Coordinates of all heavy atoms in Angstrom, one line a residue:
C1 N 107.3 85.0 96.5 CA 106.4 84.6 95.4 C 105.3 83.7 96.0 O 105.5 83.0 96.9 CB 107.2 83.9 94.3 SG 108.3 84.9 93.4
F2 N 104.1 83.8 95.4 CA 103.0 83.1 96.0 C 102.2 82.3 94.9 O 102.1 82.8 93.8 CB 102.0 84.1 96.7 CG 102.7 84.9 97.7 CD1 103.2 86.2 97.4 CD2 102.8 84.5 99.0 CE1 103.8 87.0 98.4 CE2 103.4 85.3 100.0 CZ 103.9 86.5 99.7
Q3 N 101.7 81.2 95.4 CA 100.6 80.5 94.7 C 99.5 80.3 95.7 O 99.6 80.8 96.8 CB 101.1 79.1 94.2 CG 102.0 79.2 93.0 CD 102.4 77.9 92.4 OE1 102.2 76.8 93.1 NE2 103.1 77.8 91.3
K4 N 98.5 79.7 95.3 CA 97.3 79.6 96.1 C 97.6 78.9 97.4 O 97.1 79.2 98.5 CB 96.2 78.9 95.4 CG 94.9 78.8 96.2 CD 93.7 78.4 95.4 CE 93.9 77.0 94.8 NZ 92.7 76.5 94.0
D5 N 98.5 77.8 97.4 CA 98.8 77.1 98.6 C 100.3 77.1 99.0 O 100.6 76.6 100.0 CB 98.4 75.6 98.4 CG 96.9 75.4 98.2 OD1 96.1 76.1 98.9 OD2 96.4 74.7 97.4
V6 N 101.1 77.6 98.1 CA 102.5 77.5 98.3 C 103.1 78.9 98.3 O 102.8 79.8 97.5 CB 103.2 76.7 97.2 CG1 104.7 76.4 97.6 CG2 102.5 75.3 97.1
T7 N 104.1 79.1 99.3 CA 104.8 80.4 99.4 C 106.3 80.1 99.2 O 106.8 79.2 99.7 CB 104.6 81.0 100.7 OG1 103.2 81.3 100.9 CG2 105.3 82.4 100.8
L8 N 106.9 81.0 98.4 CA 108.3 80.8 98.0 C 109.0 82.1 98.4 O 108.5 83.2 98.2 CB 108.5 80.6 96.5 CG 109.8 80.1 96.0 CD1 110.2 78.7 96.6 CD2 109.8 80.0 94.5
V9 N 110.2 82.0 99.1 CA 111.0 83.2 99.5 C 112.4 83.0 99.1 O 113.0 81.9 99.3 CB 110.8 83.5 101.0 CG1 111.3 82.3 101.8 CG2 111.5 84.8 101.4
S10 N 113.0 84.1 98.7 CA 114.5 84.1 98.4 C 115.1 85.1 99.3 O 114.8 86.3 99.2 CB 114.7 84.4 96.9 OG 116.1 84.6 96.7
Y11 N 115.9 84.7 100.2 CA 116.5 85.6 101.2 C 118.0 85.7 100.9 O 118.7 84.7 100.7 CB 116.3 85.0 102.6 CG 117.1 85.7 103.7 CD1 116.7 87.0 104.1 CD2 118.1 85.1 104.3 CE1 117.4 87.6 105.1 CE2 118.8 85.7 105.3 CZ 118.5 87.0 105.7 OH 119.2 87.6 106.7
A12 N 118.5 86.9 101.0 CA 120.0 87.2 100.8 C 120.6 87.4 102.1 O 120.4 88.4 102.7 CB 120.1 88.4 99.9
P13 N 121.5 86.5 102.6 CA 122.2 86.7 103.8 C 123.4 87.6 103.6 O 123.6 88.2 102.5 CB 122.7 85.2 104.2 CG 122.7 84.5 102.9 CD 121.7 85.1 102.0
K14 N 124.2 87.7 104.6 CA 125.3 88.6 104.5 C 126.4 88.2 103.5 O 127.1 89.0 103.0 CB 126.0 88.8 105.9 CG 125.1 89.6 106.9 CD 125.8 89.9 108.2 CE 125.0 90.8 109.1 NZ 125.7 91.1 110.4
K15 N 126.5 86.9 103.4 CA 127.4 86.3 102.4 C 127.1 86.7 101.0 O 126.0 86.6 100.5 CB 127.5 84.8 102.5 CG 128.6 84.2 101.8 CD 128.7 82.7 102.0 CE 129.9 82.1 101.3 NZ 130.0 80.6 101.5
K16 N 128.1 87.2 100.3 CA 127.8 87.7 98.9 C 127.6 86.6 97.9 O 128.0 85.5 98.1 CB 129.0 88.5 98.4 CG 129.3 89.8 99.2 CD 130.4 90.6 98.6 CE 130.7 91.9 99.3 NZ 131.8 92.7 98.8
N17 N 126.8 86.9 96.9 CA 126.5 86.0 95.8 C 125.9 84.7 96.4 O 126.2 83.6 95.9 CB 127.7 85.7 95.0 CG 128.3 86.9 94.3 OD1 127.6 87.8 93.9 ND2 129.6 87.0 94.2
K18 N 125.0 84.8 97.3 CA 124.3 83.6 97.8 C 122.9 84.0 98.2 O 122.6 85.1 98.7 CB 125.0 83.1 99.1 CG 124.4 81.9 99.7 CD 125.1 81.4 100.9 CE 124.4 80.2 101.5 NZ 125.1 79.7 102.7
V19 N 122.0 83.1 97.9 CA 120.6 83.3 98.3 C 120.1 82.0 98.9 O 120.5 80.9 98.6 CB 119.6 83.7 97.1 CG1 119.9 85.1 96.7 CG2 119.8 82.7 96.0
V20 N 119.2 82.1 99.9 CA 118.6 81.0 100.6 C 117.1 80.9 100.2 O 116.4 81.9 100.4 CB 118.7 81.1 102.1 CG1 118.0 79.9 102.8 CG2 120.2 81.2 102.5
I21 N 116.7 79.8 99.6 CA 115.4 79.7 99.0 C 114.6 78.7 99.8 O 115.0 77.5 100.0 CB 115.4 79.3 97.5 CG1 116.2 80.4 96.7 CG2 114.0 79.1 97.0 CD1 116.4 80.0 95.3
A22 N 113.5 79.1 100.4 CA 112.6 78.2 101.2 C 111.2 78.2 100.6 O 110.8 79.2 100.0 CB 112.6 78.7 102.6
M23 N 110.6 77.0 100.7 CA 109.3 76.8 100.2 C 108.4 76.3 101.3 O 108.8 75.4 102.1 CB 109.3 75.8 99.0 CG 108.1 75.6 98.2 SD 108.2 74.4 96.9 CE 109.6 75.0 96.0
S24 N 107.2 76.7 101.4 CA 106.3 76.3 102.5 C 104.8 76.3 102.1 O 104.4 77.2 101.3 CB 106.5 77.3 103.7 OG 105.6 77.0 104.8
T25 N 104.1 75.4 102.6 CA 102.6 75.4 102.5 C 102.0 75.8 103.8 O 100.8 75.7 103.9 CB 102.1 74.0 102.1 OG1 102.6 73.0 103.0 CG2 102.6 73.7 100.7
L26 N 102.8 76.1 104.8 CA 102.3 76.5 106.1 C 102.2 78.0 106.2 O 101.2 78.6 106.8 CB 103.2 76.0 107.2 CG 102.9 76.5 108.7 CD1 101.6 75.9 109.1 CD2 104.0 76.1 109.6
H27 N 103.0 78.8 105.5 CA 103.1 80.2 105.6 C 102.4 80.8 104.3 O 102.6 80.3 103.2 CB 104.5 80.7 105.7 CG 105.2 80.2 106.9 ND1 105.8 79.0 106.9 CD2 105.4 80.7 108.1 CE1 106.4 78.7 108.1 NE2 106.2 79.8 108.8
H28 N 101.6 81.9 104.5 CA 100.9 82.4 103.4 C 101.0 83.9 103.3 O 100.2 84.6 102.7 CB 99.4 82.1 103.5 CG 99.2 80.6 103.6 ND1 99.2 79.7 102.6 CD2 98.9 79.8 104.7 CE1 99.0 78.5 103.0 NE2 98.8 78.5 104.3
D29 N 102.1 84.5 103.8 CA 102.3 85.9 103.8 C 103.8 86.2 103.7 O 104.6 85.3 103.6 CB 101.7 86.6 105.0 CG 102.2 85.9 106.3 OD1 103.3 85.5 106.4 OD2 101.4 85.8 107.3
D30 N 104.1 87.5 103.7 CA 105.5 87.9 103.5 C 106.1 88.6 104.8 O 106.8 89.5 104.8 CB 105.6 88.9 102.4 CG 104.7 90.1 102.5 OD1 103.9 90.1 103.5 OD2 104.7 91.0 101.7

């Protein structure tokens, strides 16, 4: 997900029923 200055990502690792959510103003792409 993107805003003008902030990028948000939800990553699903191998473990079931778990997501890792990271937020960054350094990265602007997927």
Side-chain angles (χ1 to χ4, degrees):
C1 292
F2 302 93
Q3 287 183 351
K4 185 167 60 176
D5 295 319
V6 188
T7 301
L8 193 64
V9 62
S10 174
Y11 171 71
K14 288 185 177 180
K15 189 175 180 180
K16 293 183 178 179
N17 298 325
K18 181 181 178 181
V19 290
V20 179
I21 299 175
M23 191 183 301
S24 176
T25 57
L26 175 64
H27 303 82
H28 307 283
D29 51 37
D30 54 357

